[in-house]
Amino acid sequence: MTSTIQKPLVEVRGLKVDFLTAKGLFTAVKGVDFTIDRGEVLGLAGESGSGKSTIALALMRLHRPPAIISEGSITVDGEDVLAMPESRLRQWRWSSVSMVFQSAMNSLNPVLTIFEQFRDVIVQHTGKTRQQARERAEELLTMIGIAPSRLDDYPHQLSGGMRQRVVLAIALALDPKLIIMDEPTTALDVVVQREILEEIVALKDKFGFAILFITHDLALMGQFADRIAIMLEGRLVEVAPSAQLIANPQHDYTRRLWGSMPLLTRVPA
Amino acid sequence: MTQSNVLLRIEGATKSFHLKPMFGAAHEVVALNNITIGIEAGKALAVVGESGSGKSTLGRAVTRLFPLTSGTIRFKGKDIAELTSRAEKLSYLRSVQMVFQDPFSALNPAHTIQHHLERPLMLHRSLHGAALVAAVREVLADVELDPEVTLHKYPHELSGGQRQRVNLARALAVGAELIIADEPTSMLDVSIRRSVLDLMRRMKETRSIAFLYITHDIATAQFIADDIAIMYAGQVVEWGKPERVIGNPQHPYTKLLLSAVPDPNVRLDGGGSKAFAREAEAVRAICRTASGSVLETEPGHFVRQVGSVA
Ligand SMILES: Nc1ncnc2c1ncn2[C@@H]1O[C@H](COP(=O)(O)OP(=O)(O)OP(=O)(O)O)[C@@H](O)[C@H]1O
Ligand SMILES: Nc1ncnc2c1ncn2[C@@H]1O[C@H](COP(=O)(O)OP(=O)(O)OP(=O)(O)O)[C@@H](O)[C@H]1O
Ligand SMILES: [Mg+2]
Ligand SMILES: [Mg+2]
């Protein structure tokens, strides 16, 4: 084994993201360091507006003006992401790193059928035929629990949760090394959520991809993430293995987060 | 439920969608299958259930986004399909507000937050000038957004959670009697989620606003609701007081749902997935056929019997 195997898959150092707004500079991410190992699930939780989605977009260089990465470095699988030329970037996205966007159910193109959206990603990156793409799409859809007969539906004909599952399946389509999931299951019922996440764990064990998992559901985070990072106002205030962060939170904000979570109370008959 | 307090009464509501894809065979989706349920003034009904079971369709039917295939929806005793005059329709649209599952869709990217809040206040409450400015600030403060920072921003300049709070502020602004809140808090961090739930509860208790609260988060349903309905495949399969339905679940789908609520101390593992997925599939198989007969297992706690014919 070479030493690159030992190195983390993702290395983020001193990442700073600014928004150049009409009213001046707003720094949404204020110098953030973290790593993600191969096959690891890193959870990212924290305040709304603290910069989680901004980090996710920056990792894939999908951030758009007025956002700029003003400082720091991002390395994924030994490649300097910030130095990649556009051509490499286009090829790298989706095949090496894919993303499920927050509010993913609206990231589908409303004028294309579900199959056409799979086809776009699969054919562009793999050179598979339309028929092969169809087979792969059917396989992926079945995996996430939607009847393949719905491949020819348009997004608005599916429920929010079904659309969310479709977006997840598209992110899995090309066996990437890292999948960024920005609240991937918020629109799903807990039964389907559990089935999909267990399926993702099984796929992860099989293919070895890593996950950056953003959610507001702390209980789910504890079940799914290996380590959890807590964000507050553009900074990471605490990073620790899940069990430790749950049992023994160090930062005051982390403690407050756990404290405000409404818990299900079940008084049996 | 005493007849006099009923604000919204849904009777035998059925909605089918006909899908005619460009390729493949036409098919029909029965999104709502003979739903009967009511909400009293100032009370919250939580609707939880399977993804795709018809929860949003139910909410959209109440806002008159489309007509039912059969059945009726009455608001204060009046069939909403029979509202004819412009004044009647406008008044209904003011009384029944929807906060969407997704905070991105409901805001116009070309307008500032100030514009989004001023419009309903002018239209429905006829506010202008200093009173308008004050009212805008008040609703923003109600949802814990800083007016100084937020007023002049455009929707894309806010985070997901911040946008959802603007949507709630807008429903507040018009002074609704019934708010259909479709997953309003799932994109909010837990501390804000808690404050929004507290706010909804306050609106309910002090202003007597009723809620149809659609959610996947059963803990928050328990927190806010006076009644809970569990939906599966277009039907309400179990309903009653939250403490009874959650404490003493009877329907196999309700039991499955409760067993899947995330517990931070139980790790998800790929190996175990087959067991849970098999159990879920078995429950779906027995629940798939629609059922007609309903049993009152304890006072006010109703369960649809599995296996009986609709
Ligand atoms: N285009 C933009 N212009 C100016 N500010 C922006 C823009 N996009 C985001 N912001 C600001 O950047 C900050 C970080 O936003 P981001 O979407 O990363 O938060 P988040 O942690 O993902 O929140 P949430 O949990 O609510 O999704 C917020 O304060 C937001 O208002
Ligand atoms: N406009 C439409 N055309 C065709 N089918 C539709 C339409 N709207 C909803 N459906 C179908 O009706 C069913 C119920 O959808 P609905 O959106 O009400 O589910 P839901 O319970 O809100 O699900 P989720 O929890 O995922 O949001 C689904 O099978 C959906 O595909
Ligand atoms: Mg976000
Ligand atoms: Mg819905």
Side-chain angles (χ1 to χ4, degrees), chain A residues 150 156-162 187, chain B residues 17 19 29 31 50-57 60 101 216:
Chain A
R150 303 210 67 166
H156 78 271
Q157 295 172 325
L158 302 181
S159 79
M162 289 161 124
Chain B
F17 292 104
L19 303 176
V29 175
E50 194 202 15
S51 167
S53 60
K55 303 180 299 297
S56 298
T57 304
R60 288 200 288 261
Q101 187 163 17
H216 287 302

Side-chain angles (χ1 to χ4, degrees), chain A residues 17-22 24 26-29 44-57 64-67 102 182-183 214-216 231 234, chain B residues 104 149 153-163 165 187-189 192:
Chain A
V17 184
D18 296 324
F19 286 99
L20 292 163
T21 70
F26 172 72
T27 306
V29 179
L44 188 56
E47 224 186 7
S48 179
S50 61
K52 303 181 297 296
S53 298
T54 305
I55 289 180
L57 290 169
R64 288 285 164 265
Q102 183 169 22
D182 196 350
E183 304 197 23
I214 301 174
T215 184
H216 285 303
M231 263 197 104
Chain B
F104 295 71
V149 182
K153 283 198 172 175
Y154 288 87
H156 72 269
E157 296 176 328
L158 299 177
S159 75
Q162 291 167 332
R163 283 182 236 209
R165 280 184 277 165
M187 292 199 176
L188 308 183
D189 67 59
I192 297 163

Side-chain angles (χ1 to χ4, degrees), chain B residues 180-217:
Chain B
I180 297 162
D182 194 344
E183 287 276 4
T185 64
S186 61
M187 292 199 176
L188 308 183
D189 67 59
V190 284
S191 49
I192 297 163
R193 187 180 302 185
R194 180 55 185 262
S195 69
V196 169
L197 287 166
D198 282 334
L199 169 68
M200 283 165 60
R201 200 147 80 167
R202 238 177 14 250
M203 287 163 73
K204 197 176 76 141
E205 279 157 12
T206 64
R207 299 194 220 172
S208 223
I209 297 172
F211 283 88
L212 176 64
Y213 177 56
I214 299 171
T215 187
H216 287 302
D217 185 344

Side-chain angles (χ1 to χ4, degrees), chain B residues 60-99:
Chain B
R60 288 200 288 261
V62 174
T63 53
R64 293 180 88 245
L65 277 172
F66 47 71
L68 292 172
T69 307
S70 62
T72 56
I73 297 174
R74 288 175 194 283
F75 185 74
K76 295 181 178 170
K78 200 156 171 40
D79 187 342
I80 64 165
E82 282 161 14
L83 303 176
T84 44
S85 75
R86 207 184 108 77
E88 265 183 334
K89 284 183 194 161
L90 196 67
S91 144
Y92 185 72
L93 285 180
R94 187 186 62 78
S95 304
V96 179
Q97 287 290 312
M98 181 128 183
V99 175

Side-chain angles (χ1 to χ4, degrees), chain B residues 223-250:
Chain B
F223 181 80
I224 193 166
D226 302 282
D227 292 286
I228 191 168
I230 312 289
M231 281 188 73
Y232 183 81
Q235 289 198 310
V236 174
V237 295
E238 184 159 359
W239 67 101
K241 297 283 158 233
E243 64 273 16
R244 298 320 307 145
V245 173
I246 292 165
N248 186 24
Q250 297 296 310

Side-chain angles (χ1 to χ4, degrees), chain A residues 64-83:
Chain A
R64 288 285 164 265
I68 52 160
I69 298 178
S70 55
E71 277 175 37
S73 66
I74 301 171
T75 314
V76 176
D77 207 12
E79 270 189 282
D80 181 347
V81 176
L82 300 184

